[in-house]
């Protein structure tokens, strides 16, 4: 009971940014399914943001019930012919349809169209990430990896040492610096230690002695102590084409990084402790929102990619599981039996519920007070 109270308190405290992030990601995922279903001639009975009882709802001119539901932890699109909101095929449901309605049923469409509709959800998530990353790069520019100071953090060691934007750091403790990452690498291991830093300003080289501030930061390996100088990278303006290229590049980077983590997780080389549930997402949303809207919308892009990848897992009940069934159907020329699909969906439900238990347990462990 104490955990439930604390969980509700955490989510409520971070409510606006949490809902903004989650609803935007879920909406675009379901919108992908919805739009491609319409293009393929499938009737859509319900488009819901959230689960559980309906709070607000209305019908569009095509007869689709748009609804906002009470539990903002997901959403769904229910097609004509679906047995339930998980889009499992229902012979009983199809039997009740008149011929004109049966033509609109999801199950009446070719395997290629059904696969396209299912794949459209994750694809929409990836597209959302590309658009967001492209917009952010176009607005802010790209990070310059040269050792040029773009900005100095107020109250930092760098400010106390009179470092300024435009200064070029050329050496730390006599070691030549070529990139901004070199600065981070050298300074991070010298927290609390006297350090000689050489920089160039308007063609003149100067050397200053300073002590990088030792600070604990959160990493994937847990809290670590690092030395911080308090300088930020320079931002370089980019054109539209370069911004789009950066949008694709950053999206692919998130996909590949997540893919590597997932692979290590499945092979037992990565801990399940890194996984988090809604409480973790709410906390991160609240913290990120404190850095401004750009940081929050960046989180939307990262989470959108993660949701897209998760849904592509070959687990029955998820989009990836449906795609596996359709691939088998295409190969053998006929659908998998309804009983086999039902067993698959039950297994998928068990796996998803197990994942929910793991992520909830991790949230509890991260918050002993719960």
């Amino acid at each position: 009971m104490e955990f439930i109270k604390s969980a509700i308190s955490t989510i409520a405290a971070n409510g606006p940014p949490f809902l903004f992030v989650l609803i935007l990601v879920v909406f675009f995922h379901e919108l992908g399914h919805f739009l491609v279903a319409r293009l393929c001639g499938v009737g859509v009975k319900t488009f819901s943001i959230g689960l559980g009882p309906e709070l607000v709802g209305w019908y569009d001119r095509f007869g689709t019930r748009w609804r906002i539901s009470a539990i903002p932890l997901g959403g769904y699109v229910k097609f004509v012919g679906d047995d339930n909101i998980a889009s499992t095929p229902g012979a009983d449901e199809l039997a009740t349809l008149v011929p004109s309605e049966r033509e609109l049923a999801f199950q009446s469409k070719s395997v290629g169209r059904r696969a396209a509709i299912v794949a459209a959800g994750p694809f929409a998530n990836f597209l959302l990430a590309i658009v967001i990353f492209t917009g952010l790069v176009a607005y802010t520019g790209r990070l310059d990896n040269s050792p040029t100071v773009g900005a100095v953090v107020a109250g930092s060691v760098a400010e106390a040492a009179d470092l300024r934007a435009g200064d070029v750091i050329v050496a730390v403790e006599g070691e030549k610096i070529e990139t901004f990452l070199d600065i981070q690498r050298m300074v991070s291991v010298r927290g609390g230690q006297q350090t000689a830093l050489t920089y160039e300003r308007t063609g003149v080289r100067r050397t200053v002695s300073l002590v990088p501030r030792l600070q604990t930061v959160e990493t994937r390996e847990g809290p670590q102590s690092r030395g911080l100088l308090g300088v930020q990278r320079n931002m370089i303006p980019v054109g539209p084409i370069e911004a789009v290229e950066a949008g694709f590049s950053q999206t692919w980077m998130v996909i590949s990084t997540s893919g590597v983590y997932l692979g290590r997780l499945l092979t037992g080389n990565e801990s399940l402790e890194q996984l988090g549930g809604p409480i973790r997402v709410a906390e991160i949303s609240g913290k990120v929102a404190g850095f401004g809207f750009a940081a929050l919308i960046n989180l939307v892009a990262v989470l959108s990619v993660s949701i897209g990848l998760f849904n592509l897992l070959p687990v029955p009940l998820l989009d990836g599981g449906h795609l596996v069934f359709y691939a088998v159907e295409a190969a053998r020329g006929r659908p998998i039996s309804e009983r086999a699909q039902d067993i698959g969906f039950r297994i998928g439900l068990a796996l998803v519920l197990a994942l929910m238990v793991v992520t909830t347990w991790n949230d509890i462990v991260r918050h002993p007070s719960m």
Side-chain angles (χ1 to χ4, degrees):
M1 182 63 70
E2 195 63 33
F3 167 72
I4 295 176
K5 289 181 180 179
S6 185
I8 293 174
S9 175
T10 299
I11 293 177
N14 300 288
F18 171 61
L19 291 177
F20 173 80
V21 169
L22 198 60
I23 289 176
L24 194 57
V25 171
V26 170
F27 174 76
F28 271 89
H29 180 92
E30 301 304 334
L31 186 64
H33 292 312
F34 173 82
L35 292 177
V36 176
R38 281 279 174 83
L39 288 174
C40 292
V42 174
V44 181
K45 297 173 68 174
T46 309
F47 188 117
S48 178
I49 297 299
L51 305 173
E54 178 181 305
L55 297 178
V56 180
W58 64 93
Y59 286 98
D60 65 17
R61 63 191 180 92
F62 297 102
T64 300
R65 179 69 175 179
W66 293 74
R67 52 183 286 177
I68 298 175
S69 301
I71 306 173
L73 300 179
Y76 62 89
V77 172
K78 187 176 181 182
F79 304 120
V80 173
D82 283 349
D83 194 41
N84 52 48
I85 64 174
S87 290
T88 54
D92 294 338
E93 175 74 14
L94 287 172
T96 64
L97 302 178
V98 299
S100 59
E101 291 176 322
R102 197 165 296 169
E103 290 181 3
L104 299 174
F106 178 79
Q107 298 303 323
S108 70
K109 302 304 177 183
S110 67
V111 65
R113 291 194 175 192
R114 279 180 278 142
I117 293 168
V118 168
F123 176 80
N125 283 130
F126 299 146
L127 184 60
L128 173 62
I130 291 169
V131 170
I132 289 175
F133 285 138
T134 297
L136 288 174
V137 171
Y139 177 72
T140 64
R142 66 174 175 83
L143 288 172
D144 179 12
N145 198 34
S146 74
T148 302
V149 177
V152 176
V153 177
S156 67
V157 172
E159 184 183 53
D162 195 35
L163 288 175
R164 304 174 190 174
D167 290 347
V168 179
I169 298 176
V170 296
V172 174
E173 280 295 299
E175 182 175 327
K176 186 179 180 181
I177 296 296
E178 296 182 348
T179 69
F180 198 90
L181 294 178
D182 289 338
I183 302 173
Q184 295 175 324
R185 175 177 57 83
M186 287 292 294
V187 171
S188 66
V189 296
R190 298 194 61 80
Q193 301 178 41
Q194 202 74 31
T195 303
L197 184 143
T198 303
Y199 63 95
E200 190 173 286
R201 180 185 300 165
T202 62
V204 179
R205 289 199 175 189
R206 300 176 173 86
T207 298
V208 63
S209 181
L210 47 77
V211 179
R213 183 171 298 156
L214 190 62
Q215 188 168 322
T216 301
V217 296
E218 288 291 335
T219 69
R220 290 186 60 176
E221 289 75 30
Q224 291 187 359
S225 296
R226 293 181 177 176
L228 296 178
L229 188 59
V231 295
Q232 298 175 344
R233 293 193 197 189
N234 194 31
M235 302 300 295
I236 302 175
V238 300
I241 295 178
E242 190 176 355
V244 172
E245 290 176 347
F248 275 93
S249 176
Q250 290 189 34
T251 301
W252 175 248
M253 182 182 69
V254 178
I255 290 174
S256 59
T257 302
S258 301
V260 169
Y261 170 73
L262 182 61
R264 289 176 57 81
L265 190 66
L266 294 175
T267 56
N269 294 316
E270 194 71 59
S271 172
L272 287 171
E273 295 176 359
Q274 300 297 325
L275 298 175
I279 299 171
R280 179 66 171 163
V281 175
E283 283 186 325
I284 293 174
S285 300
K287 290 178 181 178
V288 170
F291 295 105
F293 181 74
L296 186 62
I297 201 71
N298 186 80
L299 176 63
V300 170
V302 173
L303 187 61
S304 187
V305 172
S306 299
I307 293 295
L309 282 175
F310 174 74
N311 274 278
L312 284 177
L313 291 176
V315 176
L317 201 70
L318 300 179
D319 294 332
H322 286 278
L323 291 175
V324 170
F325 284 155
Y326 299 151
V328 173
E329 179 180 342
R332 68 201 298 256
R334 64 182 187 278
I336 297 175
S337 69
E338 193 169 315
R339 173 161 176 75
Q341 291 188 55
D342 182 62
I343 293 174
F345 287 126
R346 290 175 185 273
I347 294 173
L349 177 61
L351 291 174
V352 171
L353 290 176
L355 180 63
M356 291 175 61
V357 170
V358 170
T359 56
T360 302
W361 173 255
N362 288 344
D363 287 341
I364 294 174
V365 171
R366 289 191 185 100
H367 299 79
S369 59
M370 292 184 178

